[in-house]
Amino acid sequence: MSAVLDHHDAHGHDHDHHAPTGWRRWVFATNHKDIGTLYLLFSFVMLMIGGVLALGIRAELFQPGLQLVNPQLFNQLTTMHGLIMVFGAIMPAFVGFANWMIPLQIGASDMAFARMNNFSFWLMIPAALILAGSFFMPGGAPAAGWTLYAPLTLQMGPSMDAAIFAMHILGASSIMGSINIIVTILNMRAPGMTLMKMPMFCWTWLITAYLLIAVMPVLAGAITMTLTDRHFGTTFFNPAGGGDPVMYQHIFWFFGHPEVYIMILPAFGIVSQVVPAFSRKKLFGYASMVYATGSIAILSFVVWAHHMFTTGMPVTGQLFFMYSTMLIAVPTGVKIFNWIATMWKGSMTFETPMLWAVGFIFVFTIGGFTGLILSVAPIDIQMQDTYYVVAHFHYVLVAGSLFAMFSGIYYWLPKWTGVMYSETRGKIHFWWSMISFNVTFFPMHFLGLAGMPRRYADYPMQFADFNMIASVGAFFFGFAQVYFFLAVVLPAMMGKGEPAPQKPWEGAEGLEWEVPSPAPFHTFENPPKLDATATKVIG
């Protein structure tokens, strides 16, 4: 290896700072690696809870007629599945990646605000308990859809207030985590690592953190107005008092559309790390990737009402939101072309992280195209609230965010745990997930085109076959993630497997591969001295 950290830098006085042991290590954790691990484990638990709710939905839709649940409970399942997956699984998982990897990638000793980091994680536990516990409140969980549209939310039982409270807590956690990430990246990079030499993962998270700080207060405003409408006599969204339910949609989607990019930009960052490593080439067009990420973030603020083409918007408004939505396809296309150009004529090998990354590019592109189709207002008016929309956003969020996460987990797991996972099991997990995902969600495009509305517990006979296929696929997909935990994650956490070398992937670049595997409890206590590319340490 051309450059090696001296022992002192890598291990950072482990004999001086004993890592706390037992439950105190986790409850009072201020180490970025421990907090990253907590976030990732928390998000996996929430993924499983959200997944069980999804399987409840698919079990009900297995055949026509009411089978297992009544329509009210069905709507509770769809609402809570959405809220738990978005705020409990996808977002915390990416924050976990950020905690683990950003200090390692920029040569920082830890996150900027270690105690705030601990607080922002532990806030999520009561929020998750309140959210999941709302099923056991009088009247059951909220059943207004994950978007929490008024006027339905004004008529829900006490669980609606619980959900609003939980969302506030989760929002506070997100804002604190974002401030931490921004300060860490801007102030704690190793000398010589300019912004334009940072790994793409750090860039995507820096931009994502700004997005979070901009839009989480908007969501807080929308749900607070809902709360005051419910209990304090205001009529923001109640037409009887001069309010406007459509105003809620504007406020919500002003948060909701940047939120979509909050859940995909870190995924782009992970894929931008993995593809060059297994192509054994530098990332093609690094600067254009940075500018494309920034462009996506800025444009995400001017497209929100494409979710609202059927609300009676003037044609001028429809045209503006239609064209601005299409415009986002340009920087997204730049990224996809850059990944393909990186792979072009590279010495590619297909270890599990690369399989997930290539699978991501393929399936995410399908999700992007269906989004482009939905951006056309006349088509969207037909497709609005059908299973075509459900298919589209699952291709973006499952085949997008989740597949990229799996790519990142397989890529960095040897660095996290110090052992190599079983490549065979990783590939079984990939193919099992990839096939069952497409069996689940591809038929939904056809259901939507045929006119099947979403959030309905029952449907006529002509939709039966595709629904049955989708339900079978969903159960297979769910079991694939249980297999992943039992066959890949658990053995790695228990240290079972070949010891991982310091740099397990031949083409990998970056400071995280300059510390031993597993990464020591303290790293980079003295800032590393970087070479010209800011990817290696000059020993």
Side-chain angles (χ1 to χ4, degrees), residues 58-386:
R58 287 315 319 171
E60 175 55 55
L61 294 173
F62 182 68
Q63 57 192 54
L66 293 178
Q67 322 295 325
L68 304 169
V69 299
N70 61 31
Q72 174 72 5
L73 180 55
F74 184 85
N75 283 340
Q76 292 174 27
L77 292 175
T78 52
T79 304
M80 297 306 292
H81 166 70
L83 289 174
I84 285 171
M85 287 302 201
V86 169
F87 296 102
I90 301 284
M91 289 170 68
F94 279 135
V95 179
F97 276 102
N99 265 294
W100 245 108
M101 298 318 303
I102 287 173
L104 285 179
Q105 290 191 329
I106 63 173
S109 57
D110 208 307
M111 297 295 280
F113 305 116
R115 286 189 180 85
M116 186 166 86
N117 207 8
N118 175 288
F119 187 46
S120 63
F121 170 75
W122 284 108
L123 273 180
M124 304 196 75
I125 304 297
L129 290 172
I130 293 168
L131 208 51
S134 63
F135 276 105
F136 306 103
M137 293 180 179
W146 84 274
T147 51
L148 305 177
Y149 274 4
L152 271 176
T153 44
L154 309 182
Q155 302 157 10
M156 292 281 137
S159 63
M160 192 66 232
D161 304 319
I164 288 171
F165 186 45
M167 307 283 284
H168 272 301
I169 300 172
L170 291 167
S173 166
S174 288
I175 289 170
M176 282 194 282
S178 302
I179 291 168
N180 214 343
I181 286 164
I182 290 169
V183 175
T184 304
I185 291 176
L186 294 184
N187 289 357
M188 297 179 68
R189 298 190 308 283
M193 180 174 282
T194 61
L195 282 174
M196 291 309 277
K197 287 180 181 171
M198 279 198 314
M200 266 315 294
F201 180 69
C202 297
W203 257 116
T204 54
W205 243 117
L206 179 63
I207 290 167
T208 301
Y210 277 112
L211 278 180
L212 272 164
I213 289 175
V215 301
M216 289 315 282
V218 178
L219 174 67
I223 57 180
T224 305
M225 289 152 89
T226 303
L227 191 72
T228 60
D229 273 12
R230 285 168 57 82
H231 296 295
F232 300 106
T234 59
T235 52
F236 290 112
F237 310 129
N238 185 356
D244 183 5
V246 176
M247 181 172 76
Y248 176 87
Q249 297 189 28
H250 279 290
I251 301 168
F252 178 86
W253 286 116
F254 189 79
F255 147 81
H257 206 80
E259 166 68 17
V260 173
Y261 295 100
I262 286 163
M263 291 188 282
I264 201 65
L265 290 181
F268 290 165
I270 291 171
V271 172
S272 300
Q273 303 291 130
V274 173
V275 168
F278 294 95
S279 305
R280 288 154 183 80
K281 278 175 66 187
K282 285 254 186 273
L283 179 67
F284 180 89
Y286 171 89
S288 66
M289 287 292 250
V290 173
Y291 297 135
T293 309
S295 308
I296 289 172
I298 292 162
L299 285 171
S300 73
F301 283 101
V302 293
V303 298
W304 77 88
H306 65 211
H307 297 268
M308 300 170 54
F309 283 144
T310 55
T311 56
M313 188 188 302
V315 174
T316 319
Q318 291 188 23
L319 285 171
F320 171 81
F321 287 107
M322 182 165 119
Y323 292 141
S324 60
T325 303
M326 290 177 177
L327 203 56
I328 279 201
V330 177
T332 312
V334 166
K335 287 178 170 296
I336 288 167
F337 283 123
N338 282 10
W339 291 323
I340 293 168
T342 306
M343 292 187 271
W344 179 252
K345 293 193 174 175
S347 307
M348 288 171 70
T349 52
F350 290 97
E351 288 90 340
T352 312
M354 186 61 162
L355 279 179
W356 281 107
V358 174
F360 162 90
I361 293 168
F362 170 67
V363 199
F364 174 77
T365 304
I366 296 174
F369 274 129
T370 55
L372 204 52
I373 290 164
L374 288 169
S375 74
V376 182
I379 299 177
D380 182 80
I381 287 165
Q382 294 297 312
M383 296 294 106
Q384 166 81 5
D385 266 342
T386 68

Side-chain angles (χ1 to χ4, degrees), residues 510-522:
L511 293 184
E512 70 262 40
W513 307 111
E514 302 284 325
V515 300
S517 297
F521 193 70
H522 293 289

